[in-house]
Amino acid sequence: MAEVARDSGQTQPRKIKYRKAKASWNPAMQAIPVPGIRRMVNLAATMKDVIHLSIGQPDLPTPKHIIDAYIDALNAGQTGYTMDAGLPELLVALRDYYSARYNRKLTRDNILITSGATEAMYLAITSTAQPGRQFIITDPTFLLYAPLIRMNGGEVKYIPTRAENDHQLDPDEVIQAMGPRTFAIILNSPNNPTGAVYPRSTIEAIVEECAYRGIQIFSDEVYDHLIFDEQDYASVLNCSVDLDNIMCISSFSKTFSMAGLRVGWVISSQATIKSLRRYHMFTTSVANTPAQFAGVAALTGDQQCVRDMVGIYRERRDKIVELIDQTPHLTGYKPGGAFFAFPNLPPHVDGSDLALRMLKETGVCTVPGDAFGEHTSNALRLSFSTTCERLEEAFDRIIPWMAKQKF
């Protein structure tokens, strides 16, 4: 790295000029938008006295017996890799839990443990999306699906849902939208961002038609326990004859308030799981090991903690429905599950602009509807994953502010 000067005999440092180079991103990265959620939360982080109706994760504490199981696993030295399919004890617990819940015989080979439901959906979409394949999704919809489809060359076809119909999915619209290029349908019930819970008749009609046409169904069921109105929950697992065209995806994040522990799963046919296991080995390899032991405790322990949490969310749902009804310029409905409401603003109002102004002027952080779809720019997503007292405090700011707006 140095050379000797001939005339002085002194060693001189070699001059090196480095080229400035930019990262050469895959052009497919252009399919990933800047999330509307992140824009709002980042701005809120620079402000004081902000009330968040934006967060899409549980605020309730993780049940103690689950935390204890996590700590016990750490103390027992369970910090290495598990099998690529997942911790055997957790695979057995999931097999038994779902077999009993949906009266369906499953084996361990029907299940793959992933790093949250996000990885599970990532594996499902990116292993199948390609040019010429069309995916049907709802509008509005969870913001993960469409970018992953487009990144891999697939085409997105939207089926709109509407506040005046409680954002229910019309199975006839879905079936009419099916065509020769339709490869898959992504279902999400209870739905993020609308909280809609699809009835059994809707799920059965879509499942039956997809089986007849050979269309895949990816069903995101992470909110499957957060059901508020005593209705029978319709999973694809108890609406389908077999699992050949089904991938059912869920996690511990919402049901057991374990979002940061990052354990999810895919349930499908043995052939599908075998292929996904190979792909999973080259993504995250395995899910968090002590968290998988915590998951065993969650499934095999007393389920009263889940019933208690659902009761709290139900009370909050009722409160936010009441508060939305009192708010000028907001048109609401009664979400049946999850912890989101998705009220409409007047048709010509830009929800993104309004959410930004409302945050700056009232300190209440919401998420604009255009983060979730192409036809929902006049909506807001409101999370009621916070206390009823905090909801009332938020609307004490929102209601008079909205009353002053001239639309």
Side-chain angles (χ1 to χ4, degrees), residues 324-395:
I324 289 170
D325 285 346
Q326 297 171 15
T327 305
H329 309 301
L330 280 186
T331 303
Y333 58 97
K334 193 174 184 180
F339 37 66
F340 305 111
F342 200 71
N344 274 356
L345 294 155
H348 60 282
V349 175
D350 183 342
S352 186
D353 174 70
L354 182 132
L356 186 62
R357 289 192 296 110
M358 187 164 69
L359 173 59
K360 290 178 178 178
E361 297 174 24
T362 72
V364 178
C365 187
T366 61
V367 182
D370 62 6
F372 303 98
E374 296 184 346
H375 302 93
T376 55
S377 61
N378 67 317
L380 298 174
R381 191 190 76 173
L382 308 179
S383 169
F384 49 89
S385 184
T386 190
T387 65
C388 285
E389 293 75 19
R390 202 67 169 151
L391 289 172
E392 289 178 337
E393 186 181 348
F395 277 85

Side-chain angles (χ1 to χ4, degrees), residues 11-297:
T11 301
Q12 300 291 332
R14 177 181 296 169
K15 294 181 180 179
I16 301 175
K17 185 175 182 180
Y18 293 96
R19 284 191 305 170
K20 293 182 180 180
K22 294 182 179 180
S24 299
W25 300 112
N26 185 325
M29 289 283 284
Q30 296 298 318
I32 302 178
V34 177
I37 298 174
R38 184 52 49 197
R39 291 199 306 268
M40 297 297 293
V41 171
N42 286 349
L43 175 59
T46 68
M47 301 170 57
K48 294 180 180 180
D49 190 27
V50 172
I51 300 176
H52 275 281
L53 303 184
S54 57
I55 306 301
Q57 68 173 346
D59 67 310
L60 300 174
T62 308
K64 184 178 183 302
H65 68 282
I66 298 173
I67 296 294
D68 289 344
Y70 190 96
I71 294 171
D72 290 345
L74 289 172
N75 287 330
Q78 299 287 0
T79 56
Y81 298 131
T82 65
M83 294 291 292
D84 59 285
L87 183 74
E89 294 92 328
L90 181 54
L91 291 170
V92 169
L94 282 167
R95 177 200 66 192
D96 294 346
Y97 184 85
Y98 276 102
S99 294
R101 187 178 187 199
Y102 295 127
N103 192 29
R104 173 170 214 125
K105 183 175 176 56
L106 297 170
T107 73
R108 286 171 43 177
D109 293 333
N110 290 121
I111 306 166
L112 170 65
I113 308 299
T114 59
S115 295
T118 299
E119 190 212 350
M121 188 58 72
Y122 174 88
L123 295 176
I125 293 175
T126 61
S127 64
T128 57
Q130 65 180 41
R133 287 183 172 178
Q134 182 186 83
F135 288 68
I136 294 176
I137 62 178
T138 61
D139 183 3
T141 192
F142 182 49
L143 50 79
L144 176 70
Y145 313 142
L148 288 179
I149 294 166
R150 290 171 175 145
M151 280 186 73
N152 292 273
E155 176 189 338
V156 176
K157 186 168 189 176
Y158 289 106
I159 302 294
T161 63
R162 304 165 184 87
E164 57 268 28
N165 297 326
D166 295 340
H167 282 289
Q168 284 296 319
L169 183 61
D170 184 339
D172 290 334
E173 282 192 60
V174 175
I175 292 170
Q176 289 169 13
M178 295 176 184
R181 291 186 295 109
T182 304
F183 173 78
I185 292 173
I186 300 180
L187 298 174
N188 177 208
S189 172
N191 182 268
N192 179 3
T194 68
V197 181
Y198 304 147
R200 179 169 298 278
S201 57
T202 294
I203 300 297
E204 286 181 342
I206 293 172
V207 165
E208 181 179 354
E209 189 69 21
C210 286
Y212 174 74
R213 295 175 180 246
I215 293 171
Q216 300 292 308
I217 297 178
F218 303 156
S219 187
D220 183 344
E221 301 185 4
V222 296
Y223 296 97
D224 61 348
H225 287 75
L226 302 190
I227 309 293
F228 302 138
D229 298 318
E230 305 302 328
Q231 64 191 98
D232 172 42
Y233 177 67
S235 167
V236 293
L237 293 178
N238 62 357
C239 291
S240 59
V241 175
D242 56 49
L243 299 177
D244 289 345
N245 68 320
I246 298 291
M247 290 192 213
C248 179
I249 290 163
S250 194
S251 79
F252 292 112
S253 295
K254 319 301 181 184
T255 304
F256 296 97
S257 206
M258 294 168 59
L261 272 64
R262 311 311 303 137
V263 180
W265 53 86
V266 185
I267 300 177
S268 188
S269 68
Q270 294 184 14
T272 295
I273 294 300
K274 184 176 181 180
S275 294
L276 290 183
R277 280 180 66 175
R278 188 167 67 250
Y279 187 18
H280 169 66
M281 289 170 62
F282 288 90
T283 52
T284 64
S285 299
V286 297
N288 180 308
T289 297
Q292 292 187 65
F293 280 96
V296 175

